[in-house]
Amino acid sequence: MVDDDPALGEMCTELLKSKGYAADAVTNGVDAIERVSKDPEYAIVLTDFVMPEMDGIQLLSKIKQINSAIDVIVMTSYGTVSSAVEAMKHGASDYITKPFKRDELVLVIEKILQMQRLEGEVDRLRSELGEKYTFSNIIGESPKIKKIYDIISHVSGTEANILIQGETGTGKELVAKAIHYNSARNNHRFVKVDCSSLTETLLESELFGHEKGSFTGATKDRIGRFRKADHGTIFLDEIGNISLAVQAKLLRVLQDSEFEAVGSDESIKVDVRIIAATNADLEGYVGKGLFRSDLFYRLNVIRIFLPPLRERTEDIPLLAAHFLAIHNKKNRKNVEGFSRDTLNILTSYTWPGNIRELENVIERAVILCKKNRITPEDVPLYQEKMGMCPGLSGKPLQELLEQTERQIIINTLEANDADKEKTAKILKISRASLYNKLNKYKI
């Protein structure tokens, strides 16, 4: 509390102390600067606007130089808009007009402190996100994964657009987040769009926004994902699924950093880094006329190929241990590890659903495990698929093949959250064929 009236300073500090706050009072700006310089615990400075030697604006500027995190509230006896505006322009967080009521002062203080707590929480969460998506969370020691680490470390600090290619479940989104949270854009949003789950009209609206009445169901204005990602990163997952019409609009964003919302002719400028991902052969799509070559070259400045899990089996024990720790904590279990036979099973399987499928298996095994280590009995379905289950011996070949096929379909569905279209693509069969098999095997 900084005011040349000692009685007011004493009254205010006693009031704040009665509300549980630590508070001090001084009668001039010089003493205030000395206090703030010596004690980093001060959260708020409440200062008079007009004081001898150093006025409130001068004190405000010096305090911000010492510690920009301190919020300054300016008191004015005049109640003029101009003095309040001047204080706010110089970085004051709020102002209060003398004479003020006690409750009014407490409300202003509490509002500022609440904002500080929220900002602290945001900083904490941002720090946790940064830790969650560091390179070390892309698990593996294989040569192929070490190459991925090297590429990410080089491209994170740039503004280059990036294309991530790999099968479903290989960790494309994790890599995209690692790039974002290790870039200069990490204080802004990472916005994901799943391009495979929306129709052309809905995807265009999702990306660029729309105006009320621009199409059936557009009952109000909508801000698109590109505006939400301004100064941050937008992650376009499964970009191979977007139509040629949406591709043309996306190309304009890449070229000119601007677009129009659906139903609007007003251009909107954005500053967004684009990271795209696909499990499709985009170059093949270009050759077939399904994907614009100019858009492909704009996206393909840096290309990252994520290997399937079957090509990096030496990483499976590390990944399994990582997921074991996660799901021990999540399910309040204390499973210590894996038996040798279990690790042999895990490293022998081809993992059509890749890392996502492996995590599902480990989570289920942790839940079912009755001992201190995960044994083959905790992953019986995977023994069956690899012909390692004694219960299969003696069965006719056709029955064994059908049983194996049924289980592969079930696990691929589980790994892809029951998305039949993705499951059919991974299994390289038509959707009609998949539906026939679902009926045949009563899945």
Side-chain angles (χ1 to χ4, degrees):
M1 172 73 182
V2 190
D3 196 291
D4 53 357
D5 179 358
L8 180 61
E10 184 179 356
M11 183 275 289
C12 290
T13 54
E14 290 302 317
L15 170 64
L16 293 170
K17 287 176 181 177
S18 72
K19 299 295 182 181
Y21 300 116
D24 298 310
V26 295
T27 57
N28 60 76
V30 175
D31 288 345
I33 290 169
E34 185 180 0
R35 292 286 189 99
V36 168
S37 299
K38 290 181 177 178
D39 190 344
E41 293 298 312
Y42 284 110
I44 296 174
V45 170
L46 182 67
T47 179
D48 197 10
F49 190 83
V50 178
M51 295 184 294
E53 297 181 21
M54 183 185 298
D55 64 25
I57 297 298
Q58 292 171 316
L59 176 59
L60 165 62
S61 298
K62 290 185 180 295
I63 285 173
K64 287 295 183 180
Q65 290 173 12
I66 296 167
N67 185 350
S68 61
I70 292 177
D71 284 283
V72 178
I73 303 169
V74 174
M75 300 180 290
T76 173
S77 300
Y78 305 100
T80 61
V81 173
S82 59
S83 60
V85 168
E86 185 181 357
M88 301 297 273
K89 281 182 177 179
H90 282 80
S93 301
D94 210 337
Y95 69 95
I96 188 168
T97 305
K98 292 180 178 180
F100 48 79
K101 296 179 180 178
R102 294 184 174 215
D103 290 346
E104 184 182 359
L105 175 62
V106 173
L107 283 173
V108 171
I109 295 287
E110 289 182 342
K111 183 180 75 171
I112 297 294
L113 290 173
Q114 175 65 14
M115 187 61 66
Q116 288 183 356
R117 283 190 289 269
L118 288 173
E119 288 172 351
E121 181 68 9
V122 168
D123 288 342
R124 183 188 65 78
L125 291 171
R126 185 175 288 130
S127 174
E128 286 183 1
L129 278 173
E131 291 172 5
K132 184 177 180 182
Y133 296 111
T134 57
F135 304 158
S136 62
N137 284 288
I138 302 171
I139 307 298
E141 290 292 334
S142 62
K144 290 187 177 182
I145 287 301
K146 287 181 177 178
K147 185 178 179 180
I148 300 297
Y149 294 152
D150 185 58
I151 294 172
I152 293 174
S153 66
H154 279 85
V155 303
S156 293
T158 73
E159 291 296 309
N161 295 321
I162 294 169
L163 178 63
I164 305 173
Q165 289 189 283
E167 294 178 7
T168 298
T170 50
K172 295 188 287 293
E173 184 178 347
L174 185 66
V175 169
K177 286 180 174 177
I179 293 169
H180 170 75
Y181 286 107
N182 287 278
S183 75
R185 295 176 177 267
N186 62 6
N187 285 330
H188 298 278
R189 289 182 176 181
F190 176 91
V191 176
K192 177 187 174 181
V193 183
D194 185 353
C195 300
S196 66
S197 63
L198 300 168
T199 64
E200 178 180 324
T201 301
L202 290 176
L203 177 59
E204 188 176 4
S205 169
E206 194 70 26
L207 291 173
F208 309 113
H210 66 249
E211 289 197 342
K212 179 180 178 181
S214 55
F215 57 88
T216 304
T219 56
K220 59 182 179 180
D221 291 350
R222 179 187 178 91
I223 294 175
R225 298 292 182 93
F226 268 99
R227 285 186 66 182
K228 291 179 180 178
D230 196 17
H231 300 294
T233 301
I234 192 164
F235 175 54
L236 303 177
D237 197 15
E238 300 304 343
I239 197 168
N241 293 61
I242 67 176
S243 68
L244 290 169
V246 178
Q247 287 177 36
K249 205 163 183 178
L250 181 57
L251 179 64
R252 186 184 169 203
V253 181
L254 283 162
Q255 290 175 330
D256 305 323
S257 299
E258 64 179 28
F259 61 90
E260 288 90 32
V262 178
S264 171
D265 56 4
E266 181 181 346
S267 292
I268 300 168
K269 296 285 288 186
V270 288
D271 172 18
V272 176
R273 183 185 198 174
I274 295 177
I275 301 178
T278 182
N279 61 12
D281 175 15
L282 282 192
E283 286 173 296
Y285 280 20
V286 170
K288 296 174 183 177
L290 298 173
F291 203 87
R292 295 179 62 117
S293 59
D294 45 6
L295 177 59
F296 173 71
Y297 296 127
R298 286 275 183 175
L299 292 170
N300 192 36
V301 177
I302 301 291
R303 193 179 337 188
I304 299 175
F305 288 97
L306 295 186
L309 193 53
R310 62 184 174 274
E311 293 181 7
R312 43 181 288 226
T313 54
E314 60 264 57
D315 290 333
I316 289 175
L318 289 173
L319 286 161
H322 174 69
F323 293 135
L324 175 67
I326 289 173
H327 293 292
N328 262 335
K329 183 177 180 181
K330 178 181 175 182
N331 295 287
R332 295 183 292 280
K333 299 272 286 189
N334 192 30
V335 181
E336 294 176 3
F338 303 86
S339 70
R340 184 181 296 275
D341 287 344
T342 305
L343 287 176
N344 287 338
I345 290 171
L346 296 178
T347 54
S348 299
Y349 180 52
T350 57
W351 300 105
N354 290 294
I355 298 171
R356 191 179 302 161
E357 184 182 9
L358 174 62
E359 181 173 9
N360 287 346
V361 170
I362 301 303
E363 180 177 17
R364 181 166 49 197
V366 168
I367 293 169
L368 296 176
C369 185
K370 296 182 175 66
K371 303 175 183 176
N372 63 346
R373 300 173 74 80
I374 292 175
T375 64
E377 289 74 27
D378 300 314
V379 285
L381 300 177
Y382 292 83
Q383 296 178 54
E384 291 177 11
K385 280 186 286 188
M386 291 176 284
M388 298 176 68
C389 181
L392 293 179
S393 60
K395 293 184 179 180
L397 177 61
Q398 184 60 34
E399 186 178 345
L400 286 173
L401 291 173
E402 289 181 353
Q403 186 172 341
T404 301
E405 182 178 55
R406 181 181 189 275
Q407 198 56 58
I408 288 173
I409 292 171
I410 287 173
N411 286 289
T412 309
L413 280 166
E414 287 180 355
N416 291 282
D417 299 323
D419 188 319
K420 296 181 181 64
E421 186 172 351
K422 286 185 178 180
T423 298
K425 283 182 180 179
I426 290 170
L427 297 176
K428 293 182 171 56
I429 60 177
S430 67
R431 288 185 67 181
S433 178
L434 176 61
Y435 278 106
N436 288 336
K437 292 179 186 296
L438 295 177
N439 290 329
K440 175 182 176 181
Y441 296 132
K442 296 182 173 58
I443 300 173

